[in-house]
């Protein structure tokens, strides 16, 4: 299988020197339009696809991001390795604004989003016990270290609905759970990537201490944007290093990401809705054929 690296993140992540044959491409999906067109190109001989999660100009709220359309578009483009770059708040003293954390677990506290490609007429249950691809996460950590940023490998991301930031009581609650960072877009993105059998990793860029820290002001947009802008160059350098770490062709992921649907479909073949099967022909076609 030909390697293609996908990146979902801020609008500036795709501004990488050396990207060849760059073009914006529109992708249609059964779940409507993605957040934006997909920016494609080739970097050091590896195909790349970039999608601004909130759209250029930040037009989508965390709730209205079309997560299913975004993941479908990445799968349809041929993405094999999908890296999410996300701004988050820290829930631990040791994880400071400006640091990067490679996420390996999630607590999903969202409630107003469609979280699965499967629906009545075609029922599927996929395991997300280990939602991040260890192989891809390790490559992201290596690439991040090369930028000189402080990198923390492994951590739990609390996905909140938003768009408001946490109350102090909520922030303290999430800390008591042992969570490491908090954000608004990690779910259902990671779950949908698993259903689509795409290797997925999240690079969390820490911008603030949420509101729990007694020596820091409560988080606001200006603080988040300022820290994110300081880290923009390092995020681009991280992405630019990935082709060199992930260029080798690979038919199967050793973590099992590419076979996540092997035993997921519950609906008997004779009871499967043809319309739903058609909608899922891209993300689940491997197990629906025949």
């Amino acid at each position: 299988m030909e390697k293609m690296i996908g990146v979902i993140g801020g609008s500036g992540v795709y501004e990488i020197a050396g990207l060849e044959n760059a073009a914006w491409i529109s992708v249609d999906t059964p779940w409507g339009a993605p957040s934006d067109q997909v920016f494609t190109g080739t970097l050091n001989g590896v195909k790349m696809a970039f999608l601004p999660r909130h759209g250029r100009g930040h037009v989508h709220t965390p709730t209205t991001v079309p997560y299913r359309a975004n993941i479908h578009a990445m799968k349809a483009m041929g993405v094999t390795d999908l890296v999410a770059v996300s701004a988050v708040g820290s829930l631990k003293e040791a994880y400071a604004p400006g640091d990067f954390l490679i996420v390996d677990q999630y607590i999903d506290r969202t409630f107003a989003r469609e979280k699965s490609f499967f629906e009545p007429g075609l029922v599927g249950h996929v395991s997300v016990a280990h939602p991040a691809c260890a192989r891809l996460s390790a490559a992201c950590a290596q690439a991040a270290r090369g930028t000189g940023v402080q990198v923390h490998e492994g951590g739990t991301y609390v996905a909140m609905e938003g768009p408001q930031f946490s109350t102090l009581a909520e922030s303290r609650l999430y800390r008591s759970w042992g969570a490491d960072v908090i954000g608004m877009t990690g779910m259902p993105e990671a779950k949908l990537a698993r259903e689509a059998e795409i290797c997925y990793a999240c690079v969390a860029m820490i911008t603030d201490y949420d509101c729990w820290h007694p020596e820091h002001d409560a988080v606001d947009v200006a603080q988040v944007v300022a820290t994110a802008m300081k880290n923009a160059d390092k995020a681009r350098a991280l992405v630019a290093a990935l082709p060199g770490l992930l260029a080798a062709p690979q038919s199967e992921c050793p973590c099992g990401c590419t076979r996540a649907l092997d035993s997921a479909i519950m609906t008997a073949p004779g009871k499967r809705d043809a319309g739903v099967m058609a909608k899922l022909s891209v993300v689940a076609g491997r197990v629906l054929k025949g």
Side-chain angles (χ1 to χ4, degrees):
M1 181 184 299
E2 184 178 12
K3 184 72 65 175
M4 186 174 194
I5 300 172
V7 180
I8 297 180
S11 299
V13 177
Y14 55 78
E15 297 169 352
I16 296 177
L19 190 70
E20 300 177 343
N21 303 315
W24 287 98
I25 297 176
S26 296
V27 182
D28 294 324
T29 88
W31 291 274
S35 296
D36 207 324
Q37 292 176 300
V38 180
F39 190 61
T40 64
T42 302
L43 186 63
N44 297 328
V46 177
K47 291 183 178 180
M48 306 285 290
F50 301 87
L51 179 59
R53 184 185 286 109
H54 295 275
R56 283 169 284 182
H58 207 108
V59 297
H60 285 288
T61 72
T63 298
T64 65
V65 168
Y67 295 97
R68 291 189 296 183
N70 288 352
I71 297 301
H72 178 107
M74 293 287 98
K75 181 77 172 185
M77 295 287 296
V79 167
T80 55
D81 296 278
L82 181 58
V83 177
V85 180
S86 303
V88 300
S90 171
L91 296 170
K92 289 189 175 177
E93 181 86 41
Y95 300 161
D99 293 358
F100 284 11
L101 182 142
I102 310 300
V103 177
D104 65 354
Q105 284 295 328
Y106 292 85
I107 297 173
D108 189 356
R109 296 285 290 169
T110 65
F111 54 82
R113 311 172 187 189
E114 294 292 343
K115 300 186 180 186
S116 177
F117 290 112
F118 296 101
E119 56 187 71
L122 187 59
V123 178
H125 301 281
V126 68
S127 172
V128 286
H130 301 284
C133 175
R135 174 193 57 83
L136 183 56
S137 294
C140 289
Q142 183 176 346
R145 285 193 296 270
T147 72
V149 73
Q150 177 67 46
V151 182
H152 307 279
E153 291 191 63
T156 297
Y157 177 128
V158 175
M160 63 183 295
E161 187 63 50
Q164 301 86 358
F165 296 117
S166 304
T167 68
L168 179 57
E170 289 169 334
S171 194
R172 288 171 172 168
L173 174 65
Y174 301 144
R175 276 172 49 79
S176 77
W177 290 351
D180 298 291
V181 295
I182 183 167
M184 300 181 188
T185 59
M187 285 291 178
E189 192 173 270
K191 289 178 176 176
L192 292 166
R194 178 53 50 85
E195 286 189 346
E197 298 189 321
I198 302 175
C199 295
Y200 180 90
C202 176
V203 178
M205 301 188 301
I206 298 171
T207 59
D208 56 84
Y209 274 116
D210 203 39
C211 62
W212 63 269
H213 201 299
E215 297 177 9
H216 291 263
D217 293 333
V219 60
D220 59 31
V221 170
Q223 179 183 1
V224 170
V225 171
T227 307
M229 291 299 292
K230 290 179 182 178
N231 277 335
D233 287 343
K234 292 178 180 177
R236 284 190 288 270
L238 183 160
V239 171
L242 290 176
L245 300 172
L246 298 169
Q250 179 179 302
S251 58
E252 297 289 345
C253 173
C255 303
C257 305
T258 51
R259 303 199 68 85
L261 297 179
D262 273 358
S263 58
I265 308 300
M266 297 293 291
T267 306
K271 295 291 185 178
R272 296 175 184 176
D273 183 278
V276 180
M277 288 183 66
K279 289 171 67 175
L280 270 67
S281 61
V282 169
V283 298
R286 184 184 68 82
V287 295
L288 294 178
K289 292 176 181 177

